Amino acid sequence: MYKTIPKHYPEAIRITDLETKIITDLVQKKLDLKSTIWATSFCSDEVNNLFSPFYDLFAGPGPFMLGGISGLPFSGITGMKAFLSHAPSHGAVLVLYGPHIGISEDGKIGQVNRQNQFASSTCCGSLVAALESIKKDEHMPLDNPLDYQQARVIEHLHKNRSNILESQFPLKEATDSAYEAIHTKMNRILDIIKPELDDIKLYLIGGIVINTDWTIEDLFEVRNVEYLEF
Ligand SMILES: [Zn+2]
C-alpha cells in the first residue's frame, strides 16, 4: 500500500482482507455461503470488477448489479426486489455498496493507471465530471434518457456543493457525499421492501472502494455494516 492511502483512508483494508472479514462474519452468523447470493451497488467502471475473488464464494455466478455510474443504486426498488427474489430458500444475501476513488501511486487523488495505459485516467470518472459541473454551477437535464444517471449524480453533489468546493480535497469530499447518497438510497429502498420480506437474512456492507494502479491490490474502507433477519 502506498503512502497516500493511509493518510486519506486510515481504515482501508485490502480486498482479500475484506473477503476474509465477510467469510468470518457469515460463518459466525451460521450462514451457509453457498446459500447466500450477493449484489453490488458500485460504479459501472470496469475497474470495480476487482471483486472477482468473491465469484466462487457464493451461490450463483453473482453479483446482481444494483448500481449505475458513481455507484448510486439506479436499479431502484424494482432491481432490489428482483435480486431478493433470487435468494436461495432459507438463505441469505450480501450487498456491497459505495462509491469509488482512484489514488495513483504518485499520490494523485482521482486518478489510476489502468492496464496498458501510458498515462493515468480519472477514477471515478462520473464523480470527477460531476465535480467539474458543480464548480461551474451547472446542471444537466434530469429527463434526458441518454444521460439521466450523470444528471442525478450532479444533483446529489449540488446538495453538498459548498462543503465540496471548500474542501482541501474536493473529490474526496464529493466521494463522501456520494457515499451518503448511496447509503441513504439503499436504506430507503430496503425500508419500502421490508414489509414484503420473509425467511431471509440480509448482510449489508457499505464503504469506499479505493482503486490503485493496475499492479497493486485495491482497497475498501468499511463505513457501515448491517445485519437484518426477516
Ligand atoms: Zn466511477
Side-chain angles (χ1 to χ4, degrees), residues 84-95:
L84 294 175
S85 75
H86 303 162
S89 302
H90 314 302
V93 302
L94 163 71
V95 183

Side-chain angles (χ1 to χ4, degrees), residues 42-48 68-71 99-101 114 122-128 211:
F42 292 134
C43 181
S44 314
D45 189 333
E46 77 279 2
V47 79
N48 291 327
I69 56 173
S70 83
H100 70 127
I101 185 167
R114 299 167 192 254
T122 57
C123 179
C124 167
S126 166
L127 289 177
V128 169
N211 303 111

